[in-house]
PDB file of all heavy atoms in Angstrom:
ATOM      1  N   GLY A   1       1.481  -4.629  -1.028  1.00 79.00           N
ATOM      2  CA  GLY A   1       0.458  -5.478  -0.418  1.00 79.00           C
ATOM      3  C   GLY A   1       0.888  -5.980   0.945  1.00 79.00           C
ATOM      4  O   GLY A   1       2.053  -6.362   1.134  1.00 79.00           O
ATOM      5  N   VAL A   2      -0.040  -6.028   1.850  1.00 84.00           N
ATOM      6  CA  VAL A   2       0.217  -6.521   3.206  1.00 84.00           C
ATOM      7  C   VAL A   2      -0.906  -7.490   3.599  1.00 84.00           C
ATOM      8  O   VAL A   2      -2.077  -7.205   3.418  1.00 84.00           O
ATOM      9  CB  VAL A   2       0.256  -5.363   4.250  1.00 84.00           C
ATOM     10  CG1 VAL A   2       0.418  -5.920   5.634  1.00 84.00           C
ATOM     11  CG2 VAL A   2       1.363  -4.400   3.898  1.00 84.00           C
ATOM     12  N   ASN A   3      -0.521  -8.639   4.114  1.00 83.00           N
ATOM     13  CA  ASN A   3      -1.460  -9.613   4.608  1.00 83.00           C
ATOM     14  C   ASN A   3      -1.571  -9.397   6.132  1.00 83.00           C
ATOM     15  O   ASN A   3      -0.549  -9.415   6.771  1.00 83.00           O
ATOM     16  CB  ASN A   3      -0.955 -11.024   4.278  1.00 83.00           C
ATOM     17  CG  ASN A   3      -1.869 -12.114   4.698  1.00 83.00           C
ATOM     18  OD1 ASN A   3      -2.731 -11.944   5.531  1.00 83.00           O
ATOM     19  ND2 ASN A   3      -1.682 -13.298   4.114  1.00 83.00           N
ATOM     20  N   ILE A   4      -2.781  -9.246   6.614  1.00 87.00           N
ATOM     21  CA  ILE A   4      -2.970  -9.011   8.027  1.00 87.00           C
ATOM     22  C   ILE A   4      -3.889 -10.136   8.565  1.00 87.00           C
ATOM     23  O   ILE A   4      -4.958 -10.390   7.986  1.00 87.00           O
ATOM     24  CB  ILE A   4      -3.651  -7.625   8.331  1.00 87.00           C
ATOM     25  CG1 ILE A   4      -2.814  -6.503   7.768  1.00 87.00           C
ATOM     26  CG2 ILE A   4      -3.903  -7.463   9.828  1.00 87.00           C
ATOM     27  CD1 ILE A   4      -3.499  -5.170   7.788  1.00 87.00           C
ATOM     28  N   THR A   5      -3.472 -10.775   9.619  1.00 87.00           N
ATOM     29  CA  THR A   5      -4.301 -11.823  10.248  1.00 87.00           C
ATOM     30  C   THR A   5      -5.110 -11.191  11.365  1.00 87.00           C
ATOM     31  O   THR A   5      -4.514 -10.647  12.318  1.00 87.00           O
ATOM     32  CB  THR A   5      -3.450 -12.977  10.757  1.00 87.00           C
ATOM     33  OG1 THR A   5      -2.640 -13.519   9.670  1.00 87.00           O
ATOM     34  CG2 THR A   5      -4.335 -14.067  11.304  1.00 87.00           C
ATOM     35  N   LEU A   6      -6.389 -11.203  11.254  1.00 83.00           N
ATOM     36  CA  LEU A   6      -7.304 -10.607  12.270  1.00 83.00           C
ATOM     37  C   LEU A   6      -7.654 -11.613  13.322  1.00 83.00           C
ATOM     38  O   LEU A   6      -7.593 -12.835  13.090  1.00 83.00           O
ATOM     39  CB  LEU A   6      -8.537 -10.081  11.612  1.00 83.00           C
ATOM     40  CG  LEU A   6      -8.364  -9.055  10.482  1.00 83.00           C
ATOM     41  CD1 LEU A   6      -9.679  -8.692   9.856  1.00 83.00           C
ATOM     42  CD2 LEU A   6      -7.670  -7.819  11.001  1.00 83.00           C
ATOM     43  N   GLY A   7      -8.020 -11.159  14.481  1.00 84.00           N
ATOM     44  CA  GLY A   7      -8.521 -12.022  15.523  1.00 84.00           C
ATOM     45  C   GLY A   7      -7.482 -12.667  16.419  1.00 84.00           C
ATOM     46  O   GLY A   7      -7.808 -13.498  17.245  1.00 84.00           O
ATOM     47  N   LEU A   8      -6.227 -12.328  16.229  1.00 90.00           N
ATOM     48  CA  LEU A   8      -5.194 -12.864  17.068  1.00 90.00           C
ATOM     49  C   LEU A   8      -4.964 -11.942  18.273  1.00 90.00           C
ATOM     50  O   LEU A   8      -5.268 -10.759  18.194  1.00 90.00           O
ATOM     51  CB  LEU A   8      -3.880 -13.018  16.304  1.00 90.00           C
ATOM     52  CG  LEU A   8      -3.920 -13.948  15.094  1.00 90.00           C
ATOM     53  CD1 LEU A   8      -2.561 -13.868  14.355  1.00 90.00           C
ATOM     54  CD2 LEU A   8      -4.191 -15.375  15.539  1.00 90.00           C
ATOM     55  N   PRO A   9      -4.371 -12.420  19.349  1.00 90.00           N
ATOM     56  CA  PRO A   9      -4.128 -11.564  20.530  1.00 90.00           C
ATOM     57  C   PRO A   9      -2.848 -10.707  20.320  1.00 90.00           C
ATOM     58  O   PRO A   9      -2.400 -10.050  21.273  1.00 90.00           O
ATOM     59  CB  PRO A   9      -3.963 -12.554  21.691  1.00 90.00           C
ATOM     60  CG  PRO A   9      -3.490 -13.815  21.032  1.00 90.00           C
ATOM     61  CD  PRO A   9      -4.143 -13.833  19.661  1.00 90.00           C
ATOM     62  N   PHE A  10      -2.298 -10.703  19.167  1.00 92.00           N
ATOM     63  CA  PHE A  10      -1.105  -9.937  18.834  1.00 92.00           C
ATOM     64  C   PHE A  10      -1.187  -9.497  17.375  1.00 92.00           C
ATOM     65  O   PHE A  10      -1.989 -10.035  16.599  1.00 92.00           O
ATOM     66  CB  PHE A  10       0.186 -10.742  19.048  1.00 92.00           C
ATOM     67  CG  PHE A  10       0.181 -12.086  18.399  1.00 92.00           C
ATOM     68  CD1 PHE A  10       0.580 -12.245  17.081  1.00 92.00           C
ATOM     69  CD2 PHE A  10      -0.281 -13.215  19.051  1.00 92.00           C
ATOM     70  CE1 PHE A  10       0.564 -13.450  16.465  1.00 92.00           C
ATOM     71  CE2 PHE A  10      -0.306 -14.444  18.455  1.00 92.00           C
ATOM     72  CZ  PHE A  10       0.124 -14.555  17.131  1.00 92.00           C
ATOM     73  N   VAL A  11      -0.396  -8.516  17.026  1.00 94.00           N
ATOM     74  CA  VAL A  11      -0.387  -7.994  15.621  1.00 94.00           C
ATOM     75  C   VAL A  11       0.438  -8.986  14.775  1.00 94.00           C
ATOM     76  O   VAL A  11       1.533  -9.389  15.146  1.00 94.00           O
ATOM     77  CB  VAL A  11       0.250  -6.594  15.570  1.00 94.00           C
ATOM     78  CG1 VAL A  11       0.472  -6.162  14.135  1.00 94.00           C
ATOM     79  CG2 VAL A  11      -0.614  -5.619  16.324  1.00 94.00           C
ATOM     80  N   ARG A  12      -0.146  -9.389  13.643  1.00 93.00           N
ATOM     81  CA  ARG A  12       0.537 -10.302  12.725  1.00 93.00           C
ATOM     82  C   ARG A  12       0.345  -9.780  11.289  1.00 93.00           C
ATOM     83  O   ARG A  12      -0.776  -9.721  10.751  1.00 93.00           O
ATOM     84  CB  ARG A  12       0.010 -11.689  12.844  1.00 93.00           C
ATOM     85  CG  ARG A  12       0.834 -12.701  12.075  1.00 93.00           C
ATOM     86  CD  ARG A  12       0.037 -13.281  10.899  1.00 93.00           C
ATOM     87  NE  ARG A  12       0.844 -14.105  10.062  1.00 93.00           N
ATOM     88  CZ  ARG A  12       0.762 -14.030   8.736  1.00 93.00           C
ATOM     89  NH1 ARG A  12      -0.025 -13.182   8.149  1.00 93.00           N
ATOM     90  NH2 ARG A  12       1.507 -14.818   7.985  1.00 93.00           N
ATOM     91  N   THR A  13       1.434  -9.338  10.630  1.00 93.00           N
ATOM     92  CA  THR A  13       1.385  -8.949   9.296  1.00 93.00           C
ATOM     93  C   THR A  13       2.462  -9.691   8.479  1.00 93.00           C
ATOM     94  O   THR A  13       3.389 -10.221   9.103  1.00 93.00           O
ATOM     95  CB  THR A  13       1.676  -7.423   9.094  1.00 93.00           C
ATOM     96  OG1 THR A  13       3.012  -7.143   9.497  1.00 93.00           O
ATOM     97  CG2 THR A  13       0.695  -6.560   9.890  1.00 93.00           C
ATOM     98  N   SER A  14       2.330  -9.738   7.221  1.00 88.00           N
ATOM     99  CA  SER A  14       3.336 -10.325   6.322  1.00 88.00           C
ATOM    100  C   SER A  14       3.259  -9.738   4.944  1.00 88.00           C
ATOM    101  O   SER A  14       2.194  -9.210   4.588  1.00 88.00           O
ATOM    102  CB  SER A  14       3.223 -11.862   6.276  1.00 88.00           C
ATOM    103  OG  SER A  14       2.050 -12.204   5.570  1.00 88.00           O
ATOM    104  N   PRO A  15       4.331  -9.815   4.158  1.00 85.00           N
ATOM    105  CA  PRO A  15       4.214  -9.422   2.765  1.00 85.00           C
ATOM    106  C   PRO A  15       3.153 -10.274   2.079  1.00 85.00           C
ATOM    107  O   PRO A  15       2.907 -11.401   2.495  1.00 85.00           O
ATOM    108  CB  PRO A  15       5.610  -9.711   2.197  1.00 85.00           C
ATOM    109  CG  PRO A  15       6.509  -9.812   3.388  1.00 85.00           C
ATOM    110  CD  PRO A  15       5.637 -10.311   4.501  1.00 85.00           C
ATOM    111  N   ASP A  16       2.564  -9.750   1.049  1.00 77.00           N
ATOM    112  CA  ASP A  16       1.518 -10.526   0.392  1.00 77.00           C
ATOM    113  C   ASP A  16       2.035 -11.462  -0.713  1.00 77.00           C
ATOM    114  O   ASP A  16       1.290 -11.952  -1.518  1.00 77.00           O
ATOM    115  CB  ASP A  16       0.434  -9.615  -0.164  1.00 77.00           C
ATOM    116  CG  ASP A  16       0.828  -8.878  -1.432  1.00 77.00           C
ATOM    117  OD1 ASP A  16       1.990  -8.936  -1.787  1.00 77.00           O
ATOM    118  OD2 ASP A  16      -0.067  -8.307  -2.059  1.00 77.00           O
ATOM    119  N   HIS A  17       3.330 -11.675  -0.702  1.00 74.00           N
ATOM    120  CA  HIS A  17       3.903 -12.617  -1.709  1.00 74.00           C
ATOM    121  C   HIS A  17       4.534 -13.801  -0.993  1.00 74.00           C
ATOM    122  O   HIS A  17       4.690 -13.811   0.229  1.00 74.00           O
ATOM    123  CB  HIS A  17       4.952 -11.876  -2.582  1.00 74.00           C
ATOM    124  CG  HIS A  17       6.038 -11.232  -1.798  1.00 74.00           C
ATOM    125  ND1 HIS A  17       7.024 -11.905  -1.172  1.00 74.00           N
ATOM    126  CD2 HIS A  17       6.256  -9.927  -1.490  1.00 74.00           C
ATOM    127  CE1 HIS A  17       7.820 -11.111  -0.552  1.00 74.00           C
ATOM    128  NE2 HIS A  17       7.389  -9.888  -0.735  1.00 74.00           N
ATOM    129  N   GLY A  18       4.935 -14.745  -1.764  1.00 72.00           N
ATOM    130  CA  GLY A  18       5.525 -15.976  -1.215  1.00 72.00           C
ATOM    131  C   GLY A  18       6.988 -15.815  -0.943  1.00 72.00           C
ATOM    132  O   GLY A  18       7.534 -14.700  -0.910  1.00 72.00           O
ATOM    133  N   THR A  19       7.680 -16.932  -0.801  1.00 75.00           N
ATOM    134  CA  THR A  19       9.110 -16.929  -0.457  1.00 75.00           C
ATOM    135  C   THR A  19      10.027 -16.611  -1.634  1.00 75.00           C
ATOM    136  O   THR A  19      11.188 -16.333  -1.399  1.00 75.00           O
ATOM    137  CB  THR A  19       9.478 -18.264   0.139  1.00 75.00           C
ATOM    138  OG1 THR A  19       9.105 -19.281  -0.791  1.00 75.00           O
ATOM    139  CG2 THR A  19       8.789 -18.497   1.467  1.00 75.00           C
ATOM    140  N   ALA A  20       9.548 -16.710  -2.828  1.00 78.00           N
ATOM    141  CA  ALA A  20      10.359 -16.374  -4.037  1.00 78.00           C
ATOM    142  C   ALA A  20      11.658 -17.147  -4.097  1.00 78.00           C
ATOM    143  O   ALA A  20      12.724 -16.609  -4.351  1.00 78.00           O
ATOM    144  CB  ALA A  20      10.593 -14.862  -4.116  1.00 78.00           C
ATOM    145  N   PHE A  21      11.558 -18.463  -3.873  1.00 84.00           N
ATOM    146  CA  PHE A  21      12.757 -19.296  -3.950  1.00 84.00           C
ATOM    147  C   PHE A  21      13.488 -19.170  -5.284  1.00 84.00           C
ATOM    148  O   PHE A  21      14.702 -19.359  -5.354  1.00 84.00           O
ATOM    149  CB  PHE A  21      12.405 -20.774  -3.689  1.00 84.00           C
ATOM    150  CG  PHE A  21      12.074 -21.048  -2.232  1.00 84.00           C
ATOM    151  CD1 PHE A  21      10.872 -21.700  -1.944  1.00 84.00           C
ATOM    152  CD2 PHE A  21      12.925 -20.699  -1.216  1.00 84.00           C
ATOM    153  CE1 PHE A  21      10.558 -21.975  -0.631  1.00 84.00           C
ATOM    154  CE2 PHE A  21      12.602 -20.986   0.108  1.00 84.00           C
ATOM    155  CZ  PHE A  21      11.423 -21.622   0.407  1.00 84.00           C
ATOM    156  N   ASP A  22      12.745 -18.845  -6.335  1.00 88.00           N
ATOM    157  CA  ASP A  22      13.378 -18.739  -7.652  1.00 88.00           C
ATOM    158  C   ASP A  22      14.403 -17.585  -7.751  1.00 88.00           C
ATOM    159  O   ASP A  22      15.287 -17.603  -8.574  1.00 88.00           O
ATOM    160  CB  ASP A  22      12.325 -18.604  -8.761  1.00 88.00           C
ATOM    161  CG  ASP A  22      11.445 -17.370  -8.567  1.00 88.00           C
ATOM    162  OD1 ASP A  22      11.103 -17.034  -7.390  1.00 88.00           O
ATOM    163  OD2 ASP A  22      11.048 -16.783  -9.580  1.00 88.00           O
ATOM    164  N   ILE A  23      14.257 -16.589  -6.862  1.00 88.00           N
ATOM    165  CA  ILE A  23      15.234 -15.480  -6.903  1.00 88.00           C
ATOM    166  C   ILE A  23      16.014 -15.329  -5.600  1.00 88.00           C
ATOM    167  O   ILE A  23      16.805 -14.413  -5.452  1.00 88.00           O
ATOM    168  CB  ILE A  23      14.543 -14.147  -7.281  1.00 88.00           C
ATOM    169  CG1 ILE A  23      13.449 -13.777  -6.266  1.00 88.00           C
ATOM    170  CG2 ILE A  23      13.999 -14.224  -8.698  1.00 88.00           C
ATOM    171  CD1 ILE A  23      12.889 -12.374  -6.443  1.00 88.00           C
ATOM    172  N   ALA A  24      15.737 -16.204  -4.610  1.00 84.00           N
ATOM    173  CA  ALA A  24      16.384 -16.099  -3.297  1.00 84.00           C
ATOM    174  C   ALA A  24      17.928 -16.135  -3.463  1.00 84.00           C
ATOM    175  O   ALA A  24      18.453 -16.942  -4.228  1.00 84.00           O
ATOM    176  CB  ALA A  24      15.962 -17.229  -2.394  1.00 84.00           C
ATOM    177  N   GLY A  25      18.604 -15.253  -2.769  1.00 88.00           N
ATOM    178  CA  GLY A  25      20.053 -15.199  -2.734  1.00 88.00           C
ATOM    179  C   GLY A  25      20.681 -14.544  -3.962  1.00 88.00           C
ATOM    180  O   GLY A  25      21.907 -14.505  -4.069  1.00 88.00           O
ATOM    181  N   ARG A  26      19.855 -14.043  -4.867  1.00 92.00           N
ATOM    182  CA  ARG A  26      20.408 -13.416  -6.091  1.00 92.00           C
ATOM    183  C   ARG A  26      20.499 -11.890  -6.003  1.00 92.00           C
ATOM    184  O   ARG A  26      21.039 -11.278  -6.919  1.00 92.00           O
ATOM    185  CB  ARG A  26      19.531 -13.796  -7.297  1.00 92.00           C
ATOM    186  CG  ARG A  26      19.619 -15.318  -7.571  1.00 92.00           C
ATOM    187  CD  ARG A  26      18.767 -15.799  -8.719  1.00 92.00           C
ATOM    188  NE  ARG A  26      18.770 -14.893  -9.876  1.00 92.00           N
ATOM    189  CZ  ARG A  26      17.807 -14.862 -10.781  1.00 92.00           C
ATOM    190  NH1 ARG A  26      16.762 -15.646 -10.640  1.00 92.00           N
ATOM    191  NH2 ARG A  26      17.868 -14.014 -11.770  1.00 92.00           N
ATOM    192  N   GLY A  27      19.982 -11.331  -4.932  1.00 90.00           N
ATOM    193  CA  GLY A  27      20.083  -9.859  -4.780  1.00 90.00           C
ATOM    194  C   GLY A  27      19.167  -9.070  -5.667  1.00 90.00           C
ATOM    195  O   GLY A  27      19.434  -7.920  -5.934  1.00 90.00           O
ATOM    196  N   VAL A  28      18.100  -9.684  -6.142  1.00 90.00           N
ATOM    197  CA  VAL A  28      17.168  -8.999  -7.019  1.00 90.00           C
ATOM    198  C   VAL A  28      15.772  -8.795  -6.453  1.00 90.00           C
ATOM    199  O   VAL A  28      14.903  -8.214  -7.097  1.00 90.00           O
ATOM    200  CB  VAL A  28      17.057  -9.718  -8.418  1.00 90.00           C
ATOM    201  CG1 VAL A  28      18.426  -9.731  -9.116  1.00 90.00           C
ATOM    202  CG2 VAL A  28      16.532 -11.127  -8.228  1.00 90.00           C
ATOM    203  N   ALA A  29      15.523  -9.332  -5.253  1.00 84.00           N
ATOM    204  CA  ALA A  29      14.174  -9.230  -4.687  1.00 84.00           C
ATOM    205  C   ALA A  29      13.886  -7.769  -4.319  1.00 84.00           C
ATOM    206  O   ALA A  29      14.736  -7.008  -3.934  1.00 84.00           O
ATOM    207  CB  ALA A  29      14.099 -10.113  -3.423  1.00 84.00           C
ATOM    208  N   ASP A  30      12.607  -7.435  -4.415  1.00 85.00           N
ATOM    209  CA  ASP A  30      12.108  -6.099  -4.022  1.00 85.00           C
ATOM    210  C   ASP A  30      11.534  -6.232  -2.632  1.00 85.00           C
ATOM    211  O   ASP A  30      10.621  -7.003  -2.389  1.00 85.00           O
ATOM    212  CB  ASP A  30      11.020  -5.662  -5.017  1.00 85.00           C
ATOM    213  CG  ASP A  30      10.498  -4.298  -4.760  1.00 85.00           C
ATOM    214  OD1 ASP A  30      10.743  -3.740  -3.650  1.00 85.00           O
ATOM    215  OD2 ASP A  30       9.833  -3.736  -5.652  1.00 85.00           O
ATOM    216  N   ALA A  31      12.075  -5.480  -1.703  1.00 85.00           N
ATOM    217  CA  ALA A  31      11.669  -5.560  -0.306  1.00 85.00           C
ATOM    218  C   ALA A  31      10.510  -4.606   0.040  1.00 85.00           C
ATOM    219  O   ALA A  31      10.176  -4.464   1.201  1.00 85.00           O
ATOM    220  CB  ALA A  31      12.879  -5.273   0.617  1.00 85.00           C
ATOM    221  N   ALA A  32       9.888  -3.993  -0.959  1.00 88.00           N
ATOM    222  CA  ALA A  32       8.838  -2.992  -0.661  1.00 88.00           C
ATOM    223  C   ALA A  32       7.676  -3.589   0.088  1.00 88.00           C
ATOM    224  O   ALA A  32       7.162  -2.948   1.015  1.00 88.00           O
ATOM    225  CB  ALA A  32       8.386  -2.335  -1.989  1.00 88.00           C
ATOM    226  N   SER A  33       7.258  -4.793  -0.276  1.00 87.00           N
ATOM    227  CA  SER A  33       6.100  -5.394   0.444  1.00 87.00           C
ATOM    228  C   SER A  33       6.483  -5.726   1.890  1.00 87.00           C
ATOM    229  O   SER A  33       5.673  -5.606   2.817  1.00 87.00           O
ATOM    230  CB  SER A  33       5.609  -6.623  -0.285  1.00 87.00           C
ATOM    231  OG  SER A  33       4.462  -7.140   0.312  1.00 87.00           O
ATOM    232  N   LEU A  34       7.721  -6.172   2.130  1.00 89.00           N
ATOM    233  CA  LEU A  34       8.186  -6.408   3.491  1.00 89.00           C
ATOM    234  C   LEU A  34       8.189  -5.151   4.306  1.00 89.00           C
ATOM    235  O   LEU A  34       7.706  -5.060   5.448  1.00 89.00           O
ATOM    236  CB  LEU A  34       9.565  -7.077   3.505  1.00 89.00           C
ATOM    237  CG  LEU A  34      10.208  -7.232   4.859  1.00 89.00           C
ATOM    238  CD1 LEU A  34       9.388  -8.166   5.749  1.00 89.00           C
ATOM    239  CD2 LEU A  34      11.610  -7.776   4.712  1.00 89.00           C
ATOM    240  N   ALA A  35       8.684  -4.045   3.706  1.00 92.00           N
ATOM    241  CA  ALA A  35       8.741  -2.761   4.362  1.00 92.00           C
ATOM    242  C   ALA A  35       7.289  -2.284   4.668  1.00 92.00           C
ATOM    243  O   ALA A  35       7.000  -1.757   5.748  1.00 92.00           O
ATOM    244  CB  ALA A  35       9.452  -1.727   3.539  1.00 92.00           C
ATOM    245  N   ALA A  36       6.378  -2.506   3.730  1.00 91.00           N
ATOM    246  CA  ALA A  36       4.960  -2.137   3.953  1.00 91.00           C
ATOM    247  C   ALA A  36       4.366  -2.943   5.100  1.00 91.00           C
ATOM    248  O   ALA A  36       3.597  -2.433   5.901  1.00 91.00           O
ATOM    249  CB  ALA A  36       4.169  -2.314   2.677  1.00 91.00           C
ATOM    250  N   ALA A  37       4.676  -4.255   5.158  1.00 93.00           N
ATOM    251  CA  ALA A  37       4.174  -5.115   6.239  1.00 93.00           C
ATOM    252  C   ALA A  37       4.705  -4.657   7.593  1.00 93.00           C
ATOM    253  O   ALA A  37       3.962  -4.632   8.580  1.00 93.00           O
ATOM    254  CB  ALA A  37       4.541  -6.572   5.983  1.00 93.00           C
ATOM    255  N   LEU A  38       5.977  -4.280   7.665  1.00 95.00           N
ATOM    256  CA  LEU A  38       6.550  -3.821   8.928  1.00 95.00           C
ATOM    257  C   LEU A  38       5.889  -2.483   9.337  1.00 95.00           C
ATOM    258  O   LEU A  38       5.594  -2.279  10.505  1.00 95.00           O
ATOM    259  CB  LEU A  38       8.060  -3.693   8.795  1.00 95.00           C
ATOM    260  CG  LEU A  38       8.813  -5.011   8.667  1.00 95.00           C
ATOM    261  CD1 LEU A  38      10.289  -4.757   8.281  1.00 95.00           C
ATOM    262  CD2 LEU A  38       8.692  -5.828   9.914  1.00 95.00           C
ATOM    263  N   ALA A  39       5.728  -1.594   8.364  1.00 96.00           N
ATOM    264  CA  ALA A  39       5.128  -0.287   8.660  1.00 96.00           C
ATOM    265  C   ALA A  39       3.685  -0.479   9.167  1.00 96.00           C
ATOM    266  O   ALA A  39       3.233   0.144  10.110  1.00 96.00           O
ATOM    267  CB  ALA A  39       5.132   0.593   7.446  1.00 96.00           C
ATOM    268  N   MET A  40       2.933  -1.413   8.534  1.00 93.00           N
ATOM    269  CA  MET A  40       1.560  -1.674   8.953  1.00 93.00           C
ATOM    270  C   MET A  40       1.531  -2.265  10.362  1.00 93.00           C
ATOM    271  O   MET A  40       0.716  -1.917  11.204  1.00 93.00           O
ATOM    272  CB  MET A  40       0.872  -2.591   7.962  1.00 93.00           C
ATOM    273  CG  MET A  40      -0.538  -2.939   8.368  1.00 93.00           C
ATOM    274  SD  MET A  40      -1.653  -1.520   8.496  1.00 93.00           S
ATOM    275  CE  MET A  40      -1.835  -1.101   6.745  1.00 93.00           C
ATOM    276  N   ALA A  41       2.483  -3.152  10.649  1.00 95.00           N
ATOM    277  CA  ALA A  41       2.573  -3.773  12.011  1.00 95.00           C
ATOM    278  C   ALA A  41       2.779  -2.653  13.010  1.00 95.00           C
ATOM    279  O   ALA A  41       2.175  -2.700  14.076  1.00 95.00           O
ATOM    280  CB  ALA A  41       3.660  -4.801  12.054  1.00 95.00           C
ATOM    281  N   ARG A  42       3.668  -1.704  12.726  1.00 96.00           N
ATOM    282  CA  ARG A  42       3.919  -0.627  13.656  1.00 96.00           C
ATOM    283  C   ARG A  42       2.648   0.223  13.869  1.00 96.00           C
ATOM    284  O   ARG A  42       2.318   0.588  14.993  1.00 96.00           O
ATOM    285  CB  ARG A  42       5.055   0.277  13.156  1.00 96.00           C
ATOM    286  CG  ARG A  42       6.429  -0.328  13.391  1.00 96.00           C
ATOM    287  CD  ARG A  42       7.525   0.718  13.135  1.00 96.00           C
ATOM    288  NE  ARG A  42       7.526   1.231  11.789  1.00 96.00           N
ATOM    289  CZ  ARG A  42       8.242   0.692  10.797  1.00 96.00           C
ATOM    290  NH1 ARG A  42       9.013  -0.343  10.999  1.00 96.00           N
ATOM    291  NH2 ARG A  42       8.184   1.226   9.585  1.00 96.00           N
ATOM    292  N   ARG A  43       1.926   0.545  12.786  1.00 95.00           N
ATOM    293  CA  ARG A  43       0.725   1.308  12.870  1.00 95.00           C
ATOM    294  C   ARG A  43      -0.345   0.556  13.710  1.00 95.00           C
ATOM    295  O   ARG A  43      -0.987   1.169  14.544  1.00 95.00           O
ATOM    296  CB  ARG A  43       0.126   1.634  11.495  1.00 95.00           C
ATOM    297  CG  ARG A  43       0.898   2.705  10.751  1.00 95.00           C
ATOM    298  CD  ARG A  43       0.336   2.983   9.377  1.00 95.00           C
ATOM    299  NE  ARG A  43      -1.107   3.172   9.341  1.00 95.00           N
ATOM    300  CZ  ARG A  43      -1.857   2.924   8.282  1.00 95.00           C
ATOM    301  NH1 ARG A  43      -1.311   2.465   7.164  1.00 95.00           N
ATOM    302  NH2 ARG A  43      -3.140   3.119   8.317  1.00 95.00           N
ATOM    303  N   LEU A  44      -0.522  -0.701  13.450  1.00 93.00           N
ATOM    304  CA  LEU A  44      -1.517  -1.489  14.155  1.00 93.00           C
ATOM    305  C   LEU A  44      -1.127  -1.609  15.633  1.00 93.00           C
ATOM    306  O   LEU A  44      -2.013  -1.539  16.520  1.00 93.00           O
ATOM    307  CB  LEU A  44      -1.692  -2.889  13.517  1.00 93.00           C
ATOM    308  CG  LEU A  44      -2.320  -2.893  12.137  1.00 93.00           C
ATOM    309  CD1 LEU A  44      -2.212  -4.275  11.553  1.00 93.00           C
ATOM    310  CD2 LEU A  44      -3.743  -2.387  12.184  1.00 93.00           C
ATOM    311  N   ASN A  45       0.130  -1.822  15.895  1.00 92.00           N
ATOM    312  CA  ASN A  45       0.561  -1.971  17.281  1.00 92.00           C
ATOM    313  C   ASN A  45       0.350  -0.667  18.049  1.00 92.00           C
ATOM    314  O   ASN A  45      -0.034  -0.651  19.198  1.00 92.00           O
ATOM    315  CB  ASN A  45       2.017  -2.392  17.337  1.00 92.00           C
ATOM    316  CG  ASN A  45       2.466  -2.775  18.753  1.00 92.00           C
ATOM    317  OD1 ASN A  45       1.827  -3.611  19.408  1.00 92.00           O
ATOM    318  ND2 ASN A  45       3.507  -2.086  19.221  1.00 92.00           N
ATOM    319  N   ALA A  46       0.649   0.435  17.391  1.00 92.00           N
ATOM    320  CA  ALA A  46       0.483   1.780  18.064  1.00 92.00           C
ATOM    321  C   ALA A  46      -1.004   2.039  18.338  1.00 92.00           C
ATOM    322  O   ALA A  46      -1.306   2.676  19.365  1.00 92.00           O
ATOM    323  CB  ALA A  46       1.043   2.874  17.174  1.00 92.00           C
ATOM    324  N   ALA A  47      -1.901   1.489  17.520  1.00 88.00           N
ATOM    325  CA  ALA A  47      -3.317   1.747  17.704  1.00 88.00           C
ATOM    326  C   ALA A  47      -4.003   0.702  18.589  1.00 88.00           C
ATOM    327  O   ALA A  47      -5.169   0.877  19.018  1.00 88.00           O
ATOM    328  CB  ALA A  47      -4.030   1.763  16.331  1.00 88.00           C
TER     329      ALA A  47
END
């Protein structure tokens, strides 16, 4: 999941989940949504 903010003068994406403080620093977080947000930002910026 990727959250995209429309209507801004720049590309803004983020993972669709919160900060996950309950697992922060434990090495168990899944970075797939962050990677998807970065990939989407690249696609939107290129377009």
Side-chain angles (χ1 to χ4, degrees):
V2 176
N3 183 340
I4 303 169
T5 304
L6 303 176
L8 299 175
F10 51 87
V11 172
R12 189 248 173 223
T13 65
S14 69
D16 76 350
H17 55 73
T19 53
F21 287 127
D22 59 324
I23 60 171
R26 294 179 41 204
V28 297
D30 183 345
S33 185
L34 174 61
L38 292 170
M40 179 60 71
R42 282 192 300 268
R43 284 179 48 208
L44 292 172
N45 189 56

